[in-house]
Amino acid sequence: MDFRRILFRLMYLVGKMPWDTGVVPPELVDLVEGPEALPAGRALDLGCGTGTNVVYLARHGWDATGVDYTPRAISRARRKASEAGVSPKLVVGDVTRLRELGVGEGFSLLIDLGCFHGLSDEQRDAYVREVNAVATPTARYLISAFPPGHGGPGPRGASREEIERRFEGWELAWEHAPQAEGSGTPERRSVTYLLLRRGEG
Ligand SMILES: C[S@@+](CC[C@H](N)C(=O)[O-])C[C@H]1O[C@@H](n2cnc3c(N)ncnc32)[C@H](O)[C@@H]1O
């Protein structure tokens, strides 16, 4: 088991998850409920953690699936879903092996809020292959990531340039730079949100 996987297990075990705010980011709310909301379809949350966003999607009529390799995160997500009265599909597994996990395909919305930016280069290669295999030809992909060189034991980060280069056949719809000091959580203040659109979507 690699270092990051162990680190996540420990963090969930001791309850030290600064990202786990329980708040659905406005970028996702806008895609689901905004003036140009996407029609509900199949959604996939990559590295779904304790399920705040996958439960939100299920509550809004999406056929939602969440994948996370930390068993304790998925247990909490299951509890959250049951409390909310929804039943998204929740899978313990690695986001670089989506097809092996049997998550299915035909996802028109894929979200990654803080998972991709911690992966190694090889994992990123596999991840993009898997995303391309399970996404529809006109899917949307929402990602939040720390900039590269964030430092410490945390994620290594990912630049917009790298994400655009890796997601060949997808185009950048918009980029939201980190929010100003004083707004939101420390996590929120340092991440960039990007929306990619596949093909002519
Ligand atoms: C920073 S947390 C974000 C969780 C959630 N997206 C949120 O916004 O609350 C990153 C999550 O990705 C998961 N993760 C990291 N690498 C993974 C991988 N290769 N496969 C599956 N899950 C992974 C971790 O277990 C963790 O729950």
Side-chain angles (χ1 to χ4, degrees):
M1 200 182 293
D2 69 36
F3 168 72
R4 285 195 63 74
R5 200 158 172 146
I6 294 168
L7 190 64
F8 275 119
R9 286 198 176 201
L10 284 174
M11 290 177 96
Y12 280 106
L13 181 66
V14 300
K16 199 162 170 46
M17 305 98 74
W19 59 83
D20 193 30
T21 60
V23 177
V24 178
E27 284 81 358
L28 179 58
V29 173
D30 194 48
L31 288 175
V32 171
E33 300 180 64
E36 293 178 39
L38 299 170
R42 297 202 75 200
L44 180 62
D45 187 350
L46 298 135
C48 65
T50 67
T52 300
N53 299 303
V54 76
V55 166
Y56 167 77
L57 285 160
R59 285 184 49 238
H60 285 79
W62 287 75
D63 175 5
T65 298
V67 176
D68 200 292
Y69 67 11
T70 308
R72 195 173 291 265
I74 291 292
S75 305
R76 292 193 189 181
R78 290 200 175 116
R79 208 175 315 141
K80 231 181 239 181
S82 143
E83 283 163 9
V86 290
S87 23
K89 186 170 177 184
L90 293 162
V91 181
V92 176
D94 196 311
V95 293
T96 63
R97 301 173 157 221
L98 294 174
R99 284 173 290 183
E100 248 176 71
L101 296 177
V103 298
E105 52 191 27
F107 293 100
S108 54
L109 175 63
L110 301 97
I111 66 172
D112 181 321
L113 308 179
C115 177
F116 176 86
H117 69 174
L119 302 180
S120 67
D121 281 344
E122 296 72 30
Q123 289 172 319
R124 290 179 190 200
D125 290 343
Y127 172 107
V128 174
R129 264 199 310 275
E130 296 297 305
V131 164
N132 280 331
V134 302
T136 65
T138 57
R140 304 292 197 281
Y141 172 73
L142 177 68
I143 177 169
S144 71
F146 285 137
H150 194 67
R156 53 196 279 246
S159 66
R160 171 172 58 78
E161 290 76 11
E162 178 187 349
I163 293 167
E164 282 191 279
R165 176 174 54 74
R166 286 186 176 277
F167 281 83
E168 214 186 312
W170 298 69
E171 68 170 38
L172 184 67
W174 51 249
E175 172 179 13
H176 288 182
Q179 288 186 353
E181 280 298 314
S183 57
T185 62
E187 283 273 307
R188 177 75 217 182
R189 286 200 291 273
S190 44
V191 297
T192 298
Y193 280 77
L194 304 174
L195 182 72
L196 304 188
R197 223 180 356 224
R198 192 180 197 186
E200 300 299 309

